[in-house]
Amino acid sequence: MFIFMKKIVLILLAIVLPLQMAMAWEEDPYVNDAVIPDTYNVFGYDIQSNLNGMTYVFYQTSSSGGITMRLQVLDRDGQKTLGGDGVVVSDEANLSYTSVNQLMFVDREGNAVLPVSDCRAGNRQQLYTIYKVNEKGETLWSTTLNNAEVNGSLANMQVAQVEDGGYVFAYFRYGRDAENNNIYYVTLEKLSEDGESEWISNVYEEGTMISYPYLVNAGEGRVMLIYCVGNNYDLTAQLINADGSLGWDEPLTFYTGGFSPIRAIHTAINVKPAPDGGALVAWMHVAGTYETQLTWIRNDRTFAFETEDGSVLVSNNSTMSRYLPNMLYNEDDGNIYLTYRQFDQSHQENQGIYMQKISPKGELLWGEEGKPVVEVQSESQYKYPSIQRADNGNLAVFYQSLDGQADSGPVGSYITIFDADGNQVRPLQNFSTNDDTKSALGTTPLLDNDHYLAWWTVRPTSSTLQIMMQYVCPDGSTSGVQPLISCDNDQKLLREECFDVAGKRISAPSKGVSILRKVYANGDEKVEKHLAK
């Protein structure tokens, strides 16, 4: 009994002690936090946080052998845990368009799943290898997809985790048949939680061009696949069963209007999971004024929106054009919120940022043209808007702006808060006030119901690209954060965590002894033993 209780005490200490690390997030919005050294030229990157408050930064840099894939992990206090430039995940020979080829997926257990394409088999002989990495930067396993069969081209990997903990991967590949004719594939493969291949399925195998598959979890081990077919890039959906077979007798084609010839297709489509295994799909098309459209596809092959074709235009203002929206399904009220750049197609210096609220039936709840975040004007340029949940049922909108119409100059990064009716409830705040020419603003969802992490890129020189980050509170402040000291600094419960006796995080108390930890917004935390019979 004494040995068992001693083990419990050691586990409690192992859980609590990491919370005592020193503050690292930069308090001064003029300074911000450099994520990687300023000597690298970054080709592509992705940043995501897990439920434990750890943030993965996966990025690709040039190296003597071609391209190196690196991973950095920041703890909840902003400390780099893997040295100054992270660990090398892969440095195999690669191609130059890796920003289209690479993706990071953070699973329910908080691990990073990293698909990497490489040419280790020879010039333009590509393979996709999956690396599963934990918060310590340790590679748990790696698996090469499609039985390590080489391909002439691989691109646009997508990942979804299903209920048994395994992963489904979908990607485009290109090859030739026995008569040397072009063959295009969308290939799906299921790996177990431990990296073992369970099935491979070529959902599409034709001589007609296909590209850009997207995946969402459709429930019961299934996934929904969204992809483009043919030279017109017709948008199509198909349900994939848990064994890799097709769930629908015929795929569902839901848009045939074409896309702008001057835009890469992956920049004109946005796919997000919807409730009950559905998919929200937004796209920007070329019909007249570069309109933006949205649909909600259920996993029973029906549309949620009660419109003639199951889709809606996000704005009916035909005098203006819109870029692809950033969208949020809000679990608090069941509505969909979007934010997007709006501009005059003939005079693109006339631009602003707008937002729209759409009901589950497809109703435009903020009028025919939405509500302005920034009214259309010509004095400044506005880019990279995003929308996230905020505290107290509110919404946070982020964006960057540059005064004038030049391509360089001081760029501000802003947050502003609206209520669920679209009324601004907190003043606009600039959380990066230095004179850098910033670009590509990204944001996490609200973490711990308390704060966000924002990031962007700057160019210290013409040959280097650096990633910067900032801790941002919903009120726009950028105060550094002591471990688990929130922006609000009150007594609300941030989260409740459960661990087994070995210290492994579990979703709920199990039979026998479990350990519960309650974390409060003012930094208080309570750890207790839970006994279930």
Side-chain angles (χ1 to χ4, degrees):
M1 182 67 179
F2 173 77
I3 294 175
F4 177 76
M5 290 306 297
K6 181 178 180 181
K7 183 177 181 181
I8 292 293
V9 170
L10 290 174
I11 292 171
L12 294 179
L13 288 173
I15 294 172
V16 173
L17 285 177
L19 304 180
Q20 311 305 317
M21 296 179 67
M23 178 180 69
W25 290 115
E26 176 58 56
E27 295 187 37
D28 187 350
Y30 189 84
V31 178
N32 311 133
D33 295 282
V35 178
I36 62 173
D38 61 5
T39 55
Y40 285 138
N41 190 18
V42 177
F43 292 102
Y45 65 94
D46 195 3
I47 298 176
Q48 296 184 42
S49 298
N50 67 16
L51 293 178
N52 298 327
M54 307 295 280
T55 299
Y56 293 97
V57 182
F58 182 48
Y59 64 103
Q60 300 89 46
T61 68
S62 57
S63 63
S64 58
I67 297 172
T68 298
M69 316 294 170
R70 292 182 177 272
L71 180 71
Q72 179 63 268
V73 180
L74 308 178
D75 66 17
R76 65 170 59 251
D77 309 307
Q79 299 276 11
K80 296 177 183 178
T81 65
L82 301 180
D85 52 4
V87 297
V88 173
V89 176
S90 171
D91 58 0
E92 301 283 356
N94 211 313
L95 298 176
S96 60
Y97 55 90
T98 55
S99 61
V100 175
N101 263 347
Q102 315 303 327
L103 173 76
M104 174 168 59
F105 177 83
V106 175
D107 66 16
R108 292 191 296 268
E109 293 69 41
N111 302 301
V113 178
L114 309 173
V116 175
S117 67
D118 64 59
C119 298
R120 75 183 77 167
N123 185 36
R124 295 196 174 276
Q125 297 295 304
Q126 287 186 271
L127 298 166
Y128 254 131
T129 300
I130 311 302
Y131 300 84
K132 183 173 178 178
V133 182
N134 65 16
E135 295 174 349
K136 298 179 181 179
E138 301 167 333
T139 299
L140 304 178
W141 51 257
S142 64
T143 301
T144 300
L145 298 184
N146 202 30
N147 296 317
E149 177 184 330
V150 297
N151 295 267
S153 181
L154 299 171
N156 200 232
M157 171 67 74
Q158 290 280 297
V159 189
Q161 188 174 23
V162 291
E163 283 70 17
D164 65 1
Y167 312 92
V168 179
F169 302 86
Y171 57 97
F172 161 85
R173 64 187 182 96
Y174 159 80
R176 293 184 180 273
D177 62 14
E179 287 75 37
N180 206 34
N181 297 313
N182 293 335
I183 297 293
Y184 302 96
Y185 305 86
V186 169
T187 297
L188 276 73
E189 184 164 352
K190 166 78 180 300
L191 297 185
S192 72
E193 188 176 11
D194 298 321
E196 299 295 325
S197 181
E198 296 188 358
W199 51 258
I200 301 173
S201 176
N202 289 321
V203 174
Y204 184 92
E205 184 177 349
E206 301 287 346
T208 304
M209 179 67 177
I210 187 165
S211 62
Y212 299 106
Y214 296 83
L215 278 183
V216 297
N217 184 324
E220 300 176 356
R222 302 170 298 174
V223 294
M224 189 185 298
L225 176 70
I226 310 293
Y227 56 99
C228 298
V229 178
N231 295 329
N232 195 54
Y233 296 106
D234 294 343
L235 276 173
T236 306
Q238 176 62 276
L239 189 72
I240 310 299
N241 290 322
D243 61 359
S245 62
L246 300 182
W248 298 335
D249 292 337
E250 294 291 335
L252 174 65
T253 298
F254 57 92
Y255 173 69
T256 59
F259 292 93
S260 166
I262 64 172
R263 297 192 67 84
I265 295 299
H266 70 279
T267 67
I269 303 170
N270 190 2
V271 179
K272 298 288 185 184
D276 302 320
L280 290 168
V281 186
W283 64 95
M284 184 185 74
H285 55 79
V286 71
T289 58
Y290 292 82
E291 293 287 3
T292 300
Q293 209 159 337
L294 176 70
T295 190
W296 179 338
I297 304 171
R298 298 191 183 105
N299 61 12
D300 62 0
R301 206 176 179 274
T302 63
F303 296 107
F305 293 163
E306 298 175 359
T307 59
E308 184 176 351
D309 64 355
S311 69
V312 295
L313 295 176
V314 303
S315 172
N316 289 321
N317 181 351
S318 60
T319 64
M320 303 295 289
S321 299
R322 277 151 291 279
Y323 283 109
L324 185 69
N326 182 275
M327 58 184 172
L328 167 74
Y329 175 79
N330 193 346
E331 297 178 355
D332 293 341
D333 59 17
N335 294 308
I336 305 151
Y337 294 84
L338 306 99
T339 184
Y340 44 88
R341 291 175 63 200
Q342 185 162 285
F343 61 97
D344 185 331
Q345 185 65 33
S346 300
H347 303 281
Q348 294 195 20
E349 67 274 11
N350 296 329
Q351 59 180 276
I353 295 177
Y354 282 69
M355 56 184 181
Q356 181 62 273
K357 178 179 179 179
I358 299 177
S359 78
K361 297 181 179 180
E363 304 161 300
L364 302 183
L365 299 179
W366 284 347
E368 293 294 291
E369 57 178 321
K371 292 191 174 186
V373 178
V374 178
E375 294 272 10
V376 171
Q377 47 73 63
S378 59
E379 289 75 31
S380 300
Q381 300 178 59
Y382 293 90
K383 293 185 179 181
Y384 308 110
S386 63
I387 189 166
Q388 305 285 3
R389 287 181 58 254
D391 52 350
N392 302 318
N394 294 322
L395 303 164
V397 175
F398 298 83
Y399 61 86
Q400 287 179 318
S401 74
L402 170 63
D403 290 342
Q405 298 300 321
D407 293 331
S408 63
V411 172
S413 299
Y414 296 92
I415 179 176
T416 185
I417 305 295
F418 295 86
D419 64 20
D421 294 322
N423 303 307
Q424 187 174 6
V425 295
R426 292 180 194 159
L428 183 68
Q429 296 288 337
N430 185 355
F431 54 84
S432 177
T433 58
N434 57 52
D435 294 338
D436 289 343
T437 300
K438 310 173 188 74
S439 185
L441 176 66
T443 56
T444 64
L446 187 65
L447 302 176
D448 289 338
N449 201 34
D450 174 75
H451 67 277
Y452 309 93
L453 297 179
W455 62 88
W456 57 89
T457 59
V458 297
R459 282 203 173 274
T461 70
S462 60
S463 61
T464 58
L465 184 75
Q466 190 174 27
I467 303 171
M468 306 296 295
M469 292 187 73
Q470 183 64 60
Y471 181 102
V472 184
C473 299
D475 63 2
S477 64
T478 56
S479 58
V481 56
Q482 294 288 350
L484 302 179
I485 300 294
S486 78
C487 302
D488 290 341
N489 196 33
D490 60 21
Q491 281 286 342
K492 67 184 178 186
L493 179 67
L494 289 182
R495 64 186 181 280
E496 188 172 270
E497 300 168 340
C498 188
F499 301 84
D500 63 17
V501 293
K504 181 180 178 181
R505 186 169 179 172
I506 55 179
S507 59
S510 57
K511 186 176 180 180
V513 176
S514 302
I515 299 167
L516 299 181
R517 179 173 68 182
K518 294 181 180 181
V519 180
Y520 297 89
N522 68 346
D524 291 346
E525 56 93 36
K526 181 179 180 182
V527 180
E528 58 188 30
K529 183 173 65 175
H530 182 274
L531 180 62
K533 297 181 179 180

